[in-house]
Amino acid sequence: MNTLRHLRPVASRLQPATLPRLVRSFSAEPTRSYEYIQTSEPKPGVGQVTLNRPKALNALCTPLIVELNQALHDFNASDSVSVIILTGSQKAFAAGADIKEMAPLTFSEAYTTSFIESWSSLTTQVKKPIIAAVSGHALGGGCELSMMCDILYCTEAANFGQPEVKLGIIPGAGGSQRLTRAIGKSKAMELILTGKSFSGVDAEKWGLAAKAFGSYEELMEETLKTAETIAGYSRVAVQGCKEVVNKSQDLPLRDGVEFERRVFHSLFGSQDQKIGMKAFAEKKKAEWTHQ
């Protein structure tokens, strides 16, 4: 319980509110040029990162991850973005890690350079919600990347899996941990030990995906709708929601409930709490200040 003294509620450390192609941007801020990803703001309050390495089925390599982390950092700091969509193409979200980059690595090289550690930066540094929209292949590192996001949407035909055992290795970007937490030990053990893939239908049935859609078009349409809904709320409250849900994965129930209560209390110090409750009482639409 004493560890909770070191967990600062969300209001005390809020940061300033910062389809698979480039679309009209709603931000006046300049955009960066990337080689392996595309960025856009398809709707007000919504930022989108699209993995764009088509010849390699969006295989994850270090240069792509560097660009991805930069784009997510920019959206996280942007005053015009409240929620982020992460997606790939209809054919592949990300077909795995780039084997050509991994194959020649020695233990000492991988260990001393903390190989793929930066892939998880989005789970610790991005405070805004990230929605994964998965179509096609999401294998190995691609499956792990999708599980790092806060909400996972997919097509029914999406192809998930952790096939690392077939390469003589194991999942290295959190696959064994996040998959087990999402679907249970026995099922995760079966999938990781056999390297078998599973569909978007299975992902939804087992609780890994929030929803599975019948087509790619429906996936992108519904992902954008959810993003717009979230973007319509106070960024202060949204960030608090993300923080307390994530803490449920790290803390025992009693400590988690206490942490949640501290964040709940802290939000009474925000302007948006007063605005939201006043608007509700007066049956008006809240005009959020995000403060």
Side-chain angles (χ1 to χ4, degrees):
M1 194 70 80
N2 290 335
T3 58
L4 290 172
R5 296 175 182 173
H6 303 288
L7 299 174
R8 293 181 294 161
V10 63
S12 66
R13 52 190 175 96
L14 289 173
Q15 297 180 351
T18 68
L19 302 151
R21 58 187 177 87
L22 285 172
V23 296
R24 174 187 173 193
S25 175
F26 288 84
S27 172
E29 299 174 6
T31 56
R32 297 177 188 267
S33 177
Y34 295 107
E35 182 177 358
Y36 298 113
I37 65 172
Q38 294 176 335
T39 60
S40 61
E41 293 183 29
K43 292 288 183 178
V46 180
Q48 180 168 312
V49 181
T50 303
L51 305 182
N52 186 39
R53 203 182 171 206
K55 292 183 179 180
L57 296 178
N58 293 331
L60 304 174
C61 59
T62 297
L64 183 152
I65 294 298
V66 169
E67 291 188 355
L68 173 60
N69 284 339
Q70 181 62 66
L72 292 173
H73 175 272
D74 288 349
F75 278 144
N76 191 58
S78 171
D79 289 334
S80 65
V81 170
S82 296
V83 60
I84 303 165
I85 295 171
L86 176 59
T87 191
S89 67
Q90 183 172 356
K91 191 173 183 179
F93 176 76
D98 192 328
I99 296 176
K100 291 181 180 179
E101 181 180 15
M102 290 193 296
L105 285 176
T106 64
F107 162 74
S108 59
E109 289 171 337
Y111 182 61
T112 58
T113 62
S114 298
F115 179 60
I116 77 172
E117 183 177 353
S118 63
W119 293 23
S120 299
S121 293
L122 69 107
T123 64
T124 57
Q125 298 182 14
V126 181
K127 306 304 180 183
K128 295 174 181 178
I130 304 176
I131 306 174
V134 177
S135 178
H137 301 298
L139 301 171
C143 185
E144 291 172 310
L145 182 61
S146 72
M147 291 190 291
M148 292 178 199
C149 298
D150 301 300
I151 300 173
L152 200 169
Y153 284 169
C154 63
T155 60
E156 293 175 352
N159 181 36
F160 294 92
Q162 299 291 162
E164 288 86 353
V165 69
K166 297 179 180 180
L167 301 175
I169 57 173
I170 66 170
S176 64
Q177 306 304 300
R178 293 189 177 91
L179 188 62
T180 301
R181 281 170 168 76
I183 68 176
K185 177 187 173 183
S186 183
K187 179 58 69 176
M189 190 74 81
E190 177 192 36
L191 293 170
I192 291 171
L193 287 176
T194 63
K196 290 181 178 178
S197 60
F198 56 97
S199 70
V201 173
D202 289 331
E204 180 184 31
K205 180 173 65 176
W206 298 337
L208 181 67
K211 291 181 182 177
F213 301 95
S215 69
Y216 175 69
E217 292 73 22
E218 187 181 5
L219 165 69
M220 298 310 298
E221 179 181 353
E222 293 301 317
T223 299
L224 193 54
K225 284 183 180 179
T226 296
E228 285 186 278
T229 297
I230 296 170
Y233 297 129
S234 163
R235 291 177 195 156
V236 182
V238 166
Q239 183 171 317
C241 289
K242 170 171 174 169
E243 185 168 26
V244 295
V245 172
N246 282 338
K247 281 298 179 186
S248 75
Q249 304 300 293
D250 302 327
L251 298 175
L253 178 60
R254 184 175 178 181
D255 290 353
V257 170
E258 183 171 338
F259 180 82
E260 176 193 76
R261 191 178 304 116
R262 294 292 178 263
V263 176
F264 172 72
H265 290 162
S266 73
L267 290 178
F268 282 82
S270 71
Q271 292 181 19
D272 282 348
Q273 176 266 328
K274 309 304 179 191
I275 291 169
M277 293 191 175
K278 185 174 185 291
F280 180 83
E282 296 176 354
K283 298 183 179 180
K284 295 179 180 179
K285 182 179 179 180
E287 298 294 337
W288 308 112
T289 65
H290 306 300
Q291 296 180 1

